[in-house]
Amino acid sequence: MRRRLGPLAFGLALGLGAGALAGPALRAPAVPVSEVPLPAFSKVAFLSHVNSPRRTPLFPGDPPFRAETVFTVAEDGFYLRYLHQGEHTGTHYSAPCHFHADEICAQDLDPADMVLPAVVIDVRAQVAADPDYRITVADLEAWEDAYGPMPQNAAVLARTGCSKYWGPSDEPTEPTYFNCGSGLRGFHQPGFSVEAVRWLLDRGVLGERGALGSDTFGPDPSSDPRYRASSLTLREHRLTLENLHNLGELTPAGSWIVVGGPVNAKGSGAPAMVFGLIP
């Protein structure tokens, strides 16, 4: 699921809403750079699931996902399908207006909102013992003890292990994506505690921009019907990233992510291709 870039190592320079890629044969323009050190990267990983009506699980209540073939090469000379899907189908980003009527939508995001240093919080062991686990401030402090201070304006991504159960099945007593492989009845999903999100906000890790993400339906634990982790995050230019995949490809610290996807007018988000840039 990753591509090696061979002997070339690319540097990423991010200014206020602008970025530049530089290789050994190309000198980067003199632009202001982020205060966060930007290491070269040698590998790129896909962090998105393949979007398929047969395979993609839908959050309970979301619109159906269908694909209709409209043109074929044999009959029309080209191939094209008509996709029917909600803005939050499969791997996707959510814009602030998804939860706040007075906040910005997709077309108001800056390009820099979509290119962020990544912080990967590995809680697979905790989730294996409790599929409703809430990531705590202690988990975040343990990360800093191991890797140093978290960067400002970052994408904080929970690696829960639920991604390996990706699929449409929602059988109540079988291991599925809907119960994070526990086989427990009902909807069971780990997520970030409110205290952990406030800790990230207070320290500027989720600053004027940033993202909170997970390899589940979203950063909110299933035990919180108010979706407070998402609501707190989706202010300013911050995003949530949902249904991520291959988070094990990223280093816990030092990787970056790039979020791509449609920018729909008044969009509350969109299905996304998320890339991991790995040193």
Side-chain angles (χ1 to χ4, degrees):
M1 294 300 293
R2 62 191 184 191
R3 303 290 186 267
R4 293 190 176 273
L5 303 185
L8 298 179
F10 294 88
L12 186 64
L14 178 64
L16 297 178
L21 285 172
L26 179 66
R27 185 177 299 277
V31 296
V33 297
S34 166
E35 294 180 0
V36 179
L38 306 180
F41 62 92
S42 61
K43 294 180 289 186
V44 179
F46 288 131
L47 304 182
S48 296
H49 288 280
V50 174
N51 227 8
S52 165
R54 292 185 177 182
R55 182 72 177 157
T56 300
L58 299 176
F59 189 77
D62 273 9
F65 179 22
R66 304 191 309 276
E68 298 176 11
T69 300
V70 181
F71 300 104
T72 66
V73 174
E75 295 187 5
D76 307 289
F78 61 96
Y79 171 54
L80 184 146
R81 294 184 304 162
Y82 177 27
L83 300 181
H84 307 249
Q85 60 182 338
E87 289 182 315
H88 299 261
T89 298
T91 303
H92 64 275
Y93 74 87
S94 296
C97 69
H98 183 43
F99 270 81
H100 303 285
D102 57 346
E103 288 288 355
I104 61 174
C105 289
Q107 76 275 6
D108 303 308
L109 293 167
D110 292 333
D113 297 327
M114 317 303 274
V115 184
L116 302 167
V119 171
V120 181
I121 310 294
D122 190 341
V123 290
R124 288 175 296 163
Q126 296 93 316
V127 172
D130 178 8
D132 300 301
Y133 185 74
R134 297 188 182 207
I135 295 170
T136 66
V137 171
D139 292 321
L140 304 180
E141 291 175 336
W143 190 97
E144 289 201 326
D145 288 343
Y147 305 108
M150 293 182 184
Q152 302 286 287
N153 301 315
V156 182
L157 311 176
R159 185 185 179 193
T160 71
C162 299
S163 177
K164 67 181 178 181
Y165 300 102
W166 182 257
S169 174
D170 60 356
E171 290 296 323
T173 59
E174 294 182 3
T176 70
Y177 193 67
F178 294 86
N179 58 36
C180 193
S182 67
L184 297 174
R185 290 184 177 273
F187 182 48
H188 295 274
Q189 172 176 287
F192 289 85
S193 68
V194 171
E195 294 78 15
V197 177
R198 287 179 176 153
W199 188 94
L200 294 167
L201 292 169
D202 290 344
R203 284 156 180 76
V205 180
L206 296 178
E208 291 187 358
R209 59 172 50 93
L212 196 67
S214 180
D215 56 357
T216 66
F217 278 117
D220 305 283
S222 54
S223 54
D224 184 5
R226 295 168 58 190
Y227 308 109
R228 288 176 293 173
S230 290
S231 182
L232 284 169
T233 301
L234 292 176
R235 294 175 178 168
E236 304 292 340
H237 287 71
R238 294 187 290 267
L239 310 173
T240 59
L241 300 171
E242 307 177 20
N243 296 320
L244 292 170
H245 187 41
N246 288 330
L247 290 182
E249 294 282 315
L250 301 182
T251 51
S255 294
W256 283 67
I257 66 163
V258 178
V259 182
V263 181
N264 298 319
K266 299 182 180 180
S268 67
M273 173 60 79
V274 185
F275 300 92
L277 309 181
I278 306 160

